[in-house]
Amino acid sequence: MSHAATTKGLAYFAPKIAWLRQNYPNLRLTLAEVGQALPGKAGTFDQTQELTLGSALWGVDFMLKAMSMGIQFVTHQNLAGAFFNLFQPADWEEIQTTQPPPGIPAGSRPLEDRAVQRTRHPAAVFPLYHACIAVADLIGSNTQADLKVSELALPGQGQGQGQNVNPDLAAYAAWEGNQLKRMVVLNLKPWSATLNKGTDRGKQSIKLQVGKDAKKAKVRRLTAKDGWTAGQGGIEGKVSYGGTVWTTKDQGKGSKAPDAGGEEEVKVDEQGGLTVDVNDSETVVVLLET
């Protein structure tokens, strides 16, 4: 959940993208096998962070930052039993085993004999899946449009592309031709109902200039009432987008989240501006309407 870390990581590709654009201008660029890498103990991965709203917020920032640099496709790694997945399609069992004595091959004893701990993990839709739906909303459904995604400097937070003074904020805009269509604002400041007990969840009021062509906007939130740690342990249904949650129970169709509001409507003022409140550990997608 660090925009600076995401920007620094993707900066590695910037000169390569520039060279490809100059020499192969029609090439469509893909970042493949993408996934958050959060090391835990002894080289394992930390599922307490990967299966959370925090991973979904990272996903939105990562995908849109990549798009703003000229990447057309991002494919997420999805393995059987991996905690960085978008979803786990079937139940699986994690088996931790003892190490065989020195000089004896691990495969010489049946797995069942060496098992010391067995953990069942049910099929589930993970928070990162919701990030993909939010990004799809920003991209839009017009496949014939000349789409461009750019990073924004929020008003009063510095000059130039991506130069936000507040390190917890990031913003992106989607253009179809010369017309601004959709925007995303991320508030990546960590807040957790479990880790920050007794502390109210903060928020940022963001004023966006959208132009006078737009009259109103729909606002959809990628959020969770428990903050960034929601979803820990692979418990699905804790993270929602636009008031909808996707789980294995609804077979991927989506259902109303019991503890989240639905889509909101915000009016554009006479100067072509609108204001949205973005809670700590939350992303909003703004869909403009003329």
Side-chain angles (χ1 to χ4, degrees), residues 53-265:
L53 170 64
S55 70
L57 299 178
W58 165 83
V60 172
D61 193 26
F62 182 90
M63 286 186 275
L64 296 185
K65 181 65 180 181
M67 289 181 66
S68 73
M69 296 171 63
I71 300 293
Q72 278 89 5
F73 299 95
V74 173
T75 61
H76 287 272
Q77 197 172 22
N78 215 70
L79 305 175
F83 297 119
F84 49 69
N85 285 351
L86 302 179
F87 53 84
Q88 177 62 41
D91 295 358
W92 68 285
E93 189 173 50
E94 179 183 6
I95 302 177
Q96 295 180 355
T97 64
T98 58
Q99 294 297 320
I104 299 179
S108 63
R109 291 172 58 195
L111 182 64
E112 297 293 328
D113 292 346
R114 293 185 287 117
V116 294
Q117 181 174 330
R118 307 169 73 102
T119 306
R120 180 183 173 275
H121 299 277
V125 179
F126 297 142
L128 189 56
Y129 181 85
H130 298 70
C132 293
I133 297 173
V135 170
D137 258 356
L138 183 84
I139 293 171
S141 58
N142 185 355
T143 58
Q144 304 303 313
D146 178 20
L147 179 70
K148 179 182 178 182
V149 173
S150 58
E151 186 178 358
L152 300 177
L154 297 175
Q157 293 188 295
Q159 302 298 320
Q161 187 180 42
Q163 301 301 307
N164 293 336
V165 171
N166 188 331
D168 295 319
L169 297 179
Y172 299 89
W175 304 76
E176 293 182 2
N178 294 322
Q179 189 171 12
L180 177 62
K181 287 289 190 177
R182 296 166 290 276
M183 306 176 83
V184 163
V185 180
L186 299 103
N187 183 347
L188 300 172
K189 184 175 182 179
W191 180 86
S192 164
T194 356
L195 302 179
N196 303 106
K197 288 183 179 179
T199 303
D200 291 337
R201 191 174 194 170
K203 66 179 180 181
Q204 294 284 335
S205 292
I206 306 297
K207 180 70 175 285
L208 300 171
Q209 286 300 131
V210 300
K212 296 183 179 180
D213 290 339
K215 304 303 179 186
K216 59 183 179 178
K218 293 178 180 178
V219 175
R220 297 172 182 169
R221 298 179 184 273
L222 176 61
T223 192
K225 72 170 185 176
D226 293 330
W228 79 263
T229 53
Q232 281 184 342
I235 302 173
E236 61 180 4
K238 298 296 184 180
V239 173
S240 64
Y241 171 66
T244 300
V245 62
W246 284 262
T247 67
T248 53
K249 293 179 181 178
D250 59 41
Q251 298 182 327
K253 297 177 182 178
S255 55
K256 180 173 172 49
D259 53 9
E263 189 175 81
E264 305 162 33
E265 184 174 293

Side-chain angles (χ1 to χ4, degrees), residues 1-12:
M1 287 175 60
S2 167
H3 179 65
T6 296
T7 299
K8 181 179 179 180
L10 284 169
Y12 168 82

